Amino acid sequence: MQFDLLIKGGRLIDPASGLDAPRDLAIADGHVAAIEAAIDAEHATQVIDARDCLVTPGLIDLHSHVYWGGTSLGVDADRLAAKSGTTTFIDAGSAGAGNFLGFRRHVIERSRVRILAYVNISFAGIFGFSQTVSVGECSDLRLCE
């Protein structure tokens, strides 16, 4: 069988299967096609040497703020995912009821990675943090009605 990608020699950690061992991992058509102690590199279009590296399923960031452009704390989830191995972000309340639809349409729906989000208790969500400004989203309790 021919593989699109072969990741060779890494320490493969897969909690779902209980695997924690040196393994080669082959990808074909965007899916894991084989996990073996040794897979011949001749069968792959691209080979990555993963010696001294961890190979894991996609990671989940359990506390993030990914409303990029909507809050001063927001980061670009797709950009961060490419550098961190994260495939799912849990946004910990960047948007409130007043701006959640914008967050969903402009960030969540357009993102290549998966974003799950909590809605902030404050109607406005997180909005006022910088070097010189610090306004807590609940500093005016009317925003929490």
Side-chain angles (χ1 to χ4, degrees):
M1 177 175 201
Q2 187 65 23
F3 304 114
D4 301 318
L5 175 63
L6 176 60
I7 303 172
K8 282 199 68 69
R11 177 181 167 194
L12 196 140
I13 300 174
D14 181 10
S17 67
L19 183 62
D20 182 350
R23 291 288 186 270
D24 291 353
L25 183 138
I27 307 288
D29 297 320
H31 299 282
V32 174
I35 297 173
E36 303 290 339
I39 299 173
D40 193 336
E42 290 179 2
H43 299 293
T45 305
Q46 180 182 1
V47 178
I48 295 175
D49 181 358
R51 283 178 294 183
D52 301 321
C53 295
L54 296 177
V55 179
T56 69
L59 301 175
I60 300 171
D61 186 330
L62 296 172
H63 185 134
S64 65
H65 292 284
V66 293
Y67 191 178
W68 185 86
T71 74
S72 55
L73 296 177
V75 298
D76 183 329
D78 287 334
R79 202 168 189 196
L80 183 59
K83 296 178 180 183
S84 67
T86 304
T87 56
T88 301
F89 289 91
I90 311 297
D91 186 277
S94 296
N99 57 359
F100 188 81
L101 293 177
F103 179 34
R104 188 176 76 190
R105 176 173 290 166
H106 300 295
V107 176
I108 295 172
E109 291 175 1
R110 295 175 187 212
S111 179
R112 292 175 37 217
V113 298
R114 190 169 119 182
I115 297 173
L116 305 174
Y118 291 110
V119 178
N120 196 305
I121 191 171
S122 169
F123 183 79
I126 294 174
F127 62 90
F129 291 102
S130 73
Q131 292 288 346
T132 57
V133 175
S134 181
V135 179
E137 63 268 25
C138 297
S139 60
D140 183 339
L141 291 179
R142 293 175 301 167
L143 293 173
C144 296
E145 288 186 20

